[in-house]
Amino acid sequence: MRKYIGELALLVTAIIWGSGFVASAVALEHYTPYQILAARFFIGALLLGVVFAKKLKGIRKSTLLKGAALGFFLYVAFALQTVGLQYTTPSKNAFLTAVNVVIVPFLGWLIYKRKIDWYELSGAVLALIGVALLSLQFSAEVNVGDVLTLFCAVGFAFHIFFTARFVKEEDPVLLTLLQMATASVIGFVVVLFRGETGFSMDPNGALPLLYLAVFSTTLAFLLQTIAQKFISDTKAAIILATESFWGMVFSVILLSEVLTLKMLLGACFILTAILLSETKPGFLKKKQIEKIT
C-alpha cells in the first residue's frame, strides 16, 4: 500500500511542478527571479515550521547538515531554472530540466563508483540529441536560457541523488523543512546583495507567487521526500520525469504557446532517453557491453 501511495504522491508532485513553469512565467512579470526564490522558500519553511513544530525538538546534527546540503543544491538549481526561464520558453525550460534523470546514474558512478550499463550510455546519447533539437537554432547558436536550464538540470540531479540517500536515514519532514530554510536564507542574502528589496503586492503577481510557495514548493517537495522513502529510485525517476510533459501541457493551454515539430522531436528523444536509461525494457535486453567500473 505504501508503494502505491508513494507513486500517487510522486505523480501529484510532477503535475504540480509542471504547472509551476507557467506560474513562474507569470510571476516573473512582477518580480525578479531572486525575489521569487527567496519568497517561495521562506513561505515554504514557515508553513512547514508551523505545522511540524514539534519535530524540531528532536532534530539531530546529521539532519541539519544533510538538510543544509539539500537546500544548497535546491537553491542553485531553482535559481538557474528561474533565470533561464527569462530567456527561453516554459516548455523548453520544462523539458531541459528533465535531463536530470539521465544525469543521476552518472553521479552514482562518479561518487560511489556504481557501474553503468549500455542502457544508461544509450540514454545519455539520446538525451544529448534531444537537447540539441530543443536548444540549437539553424544558426547553431545556443540560447542562454537553454544553457542555464541545462546547468539547472545538473543541480536537480544532485538534489534527487542525495535526497534518495539521506531520506533512508533521516526524517523526511525535517529534511524538507531544513532544505526550505537553507534555501530561504541563501535567497534573502542574494536579494539584499542585489538591492532588490522593493516587493510588489499586486495580486496579479502575488497569487502566482503564492501558488509556487504553497504548492510547487511546500507541498510538492514534502510529497517527493516522503515518497522516496517507500519507492525505488527507478520508479520515482520515471514518474517525476512526467513533469516535463505537464509543463508543456500547461504552457500550451494557459500561455497559448505554439509547439513546433522540432520541439516535439526533441521532447520525444529526451523522454525516450529517460525511459530507456531508467526502465531497461526487457524486449531490448541483450548481452550488456563491458560495464564501466
Side-chain angles (χ1 to χ4, degrees), residues 23-247:
S24 293
V26 176
L28 280 169
E29 297 176 2
H30 303 269
Y31 308 104
T32 70
Y34 305 102
Q35 287 178 324
I36 292 175
L37 292 175
R40 66 185 292 180
F41 289 130
F42 172 74
I43 295 173
L46 183 62
L47 289 175
L48 290 174
V50 171
V51 176
F52 300 103
K54 292 183 179 180
K55 285 183 172 288
L56 292 172
K57 296 179 181 179
I59 196 169
R60 301 185 301 177
K61 182 178 179 180
S62 62
T63 311
L64 280 171
L65 293 175
K66 292 174 182 177
L70 291 178
F72 172 77
F73 288 126
L74 187 62
Y75 182 84
V76 171
F78 264 110
L80 291 170
Q81 183 188 59
T82 307
V83 176
L85 190 57
Q86 290 184 303
Y87 305 102
T88 190
T89 62
S91 63
K92 287 175 69 178
N93 189 272
F95 274 113
L96 290 173
T97 300
V99 176
N100 69 75
V101 258
V102 181
I103 299 174
V104 170
F106 289 93
L107 293 180
W109 172 62
L110 288 171
I111 299 175
Y112 293 107
K113 302 302 180 183
R114 190 175 64 193
K115 294 180 179 179
I116 302 177
D117 59 30
W118 80 274
Y119 292 101
E120 293 165 337
L121 293 175
S122 300
V125 172
L126 288 175
L128 289 177
I129 295 173
V131 168
L133 287 170
L134 281 173
S135 305
L136 300 180
Q137 306 298 323
F138 291 110
S139 61
E141 294 180 355
V142 179
N143 183 293
V144 65
D146 301 330
V147 175
L148 291 173
T149 308
L150 283 176
F151 281 113
C152 132
V154 176
F156 278 123
F158 273 99
H159 182 265
I160 293 173
F161 179 79
F162 284 112
T163 295
R165 278 145 186 79
F166 293 165
V167 78
K168 306 301 181 185
E169 302 173 350
E170 306 291 345
D171 187 315
V173 173
L174 285 177
L175 279 179
T176 307
L177 193 161
L178 289 170
Q179 64 180 300
M180 294 294 108
T182 301
S184 173
V185 171
I186 297 174
F188 278 111
V189 169
V190 172
V191 166
L192 291 174
F193 179 78
R194 293 177 59 86
E196 300 175 351
T197 53
F199 197 83
S200 171
M201 295 305 293
D202 183 350
N204 292 325
L207 290 178
L209 179 57
L210 189 61
Y211 177 86
L212 289 173
V214 176
F215 294 97
S216 295
T217 305
T218 310
L219 179 60
F221 278 101
L222 183 60
L223 287 174
Q224 180 209 351
T225 308
I226 294 175
Q228 284 197 248
K229 198 174 184 72
F230 308 114
I231 194 171
S232 69
D233 292 343
T234 298
K235 183 73 71 173
I238 295 171
I239 298 174
L240 290 176
T242 63
E243 170 200 357
S244 55
F245 168 76
W246 295 110

Side-chain angles (χ1 to χ4, degrees), residues 271-290:
L271 288 179
T272 301
I274 294 169
L275 292 174
L276 178 63
S277 64
E278 296 297 334
T279 63
K280 302 176 178 60
F283 66 89
L284 288 177
K285 190 168 289 185
K286 297 178 181 179
K287 184 179 179 179
Q288 293 184 333
I289 63 172
E290 182 179 0

